[in-house]
Amino acid sequence: MKIQKHNTIMNLINGIDTRLGYIGYAVVRKKWKTTQLATPFNRLYLIERGSGVLSAEGQEMILEPGKAYLIPADLPCSYSCEDSLSLLFFHFNLVQANKFDFMRH
């Protein structure tokens, strides 16, 4: 096996400041619905039960239990739930030294 160290990538990652804005657990119903929401923070959804739909840039994904979904900052997306959905969610930014979010766009 040949292993090659990538200092550039390591320095980039080590220079990122993780800022947690909000962590929560939610149980949502049919009223959990929005269209073209773009937030200034990244979102990580960990689906526990139920299902929902997430749409962005013309693509639609079914939110399924046991899976994780990462939504970058400033990405306009729509989501909905037809019955119920429970999820653990994180709102966070990965800020570089130049003050830009690593995941934005």
Side-chain angles (χ1 to χ4, degrees):
M1 172 182 356
K2 181 180 179 182
I3 298 174
Q4 185 176 359
K5 185 177 179 181
H6 288 278
N7 288 326
T8 303
I9 294 171
M10 288 174 44
N11 290 337
L12 175 65
I13 292 171
N14 287 332
I16 294 173
D17 181 22
T18 302
R19 298 182 185 169
L20 292 172
Y22 198 90
I23 298 173
Y25 177 80
V27 177
V28 300
R29 306 266 186 246
K30 291 181 181 183
K31 289 184 180 183
W32 190 65
K33 183 182 276 191
T34 190
T35 56
Q36 297 303 305
L37 174 68
T39 60
F41 47 82
N42 306 297
R43 292 176 278 163
L44 177 62
Y45 292 164
L46 305 174
I47 309 302
E48 180 186 40
R49 284 189 218 117
S51 67
V53 177
L54 175 70
S55 304
E57 296 183 336
Q59 296 184 356
E60 190 173 274
M61 289 183 288
I62 304 297
L63 302 175
E64 300 179 55
K67 295 190 178 179
Y69 300 88
L70 182 60
I71 305 151
D74 292 335
L75 176 68
C77 65
S78 302
Y79 55 79
S80 63
C81 176
E82 291 191 20
D83 187 26
S84 68
L85 174 73
S86 59
L87 69 151
L88 179 62
F89 63 92
F90 300 83
H91 296 171
F92 65 98
N93 291 94
L94 300 175
V95 182
Q96 298 172 319
N98 60 9
K99 305 295 182 201
F100 288 106
D101 190 296
F102 181 73
M103 295 186 62
R104 184 161 275 155
H105 303 292

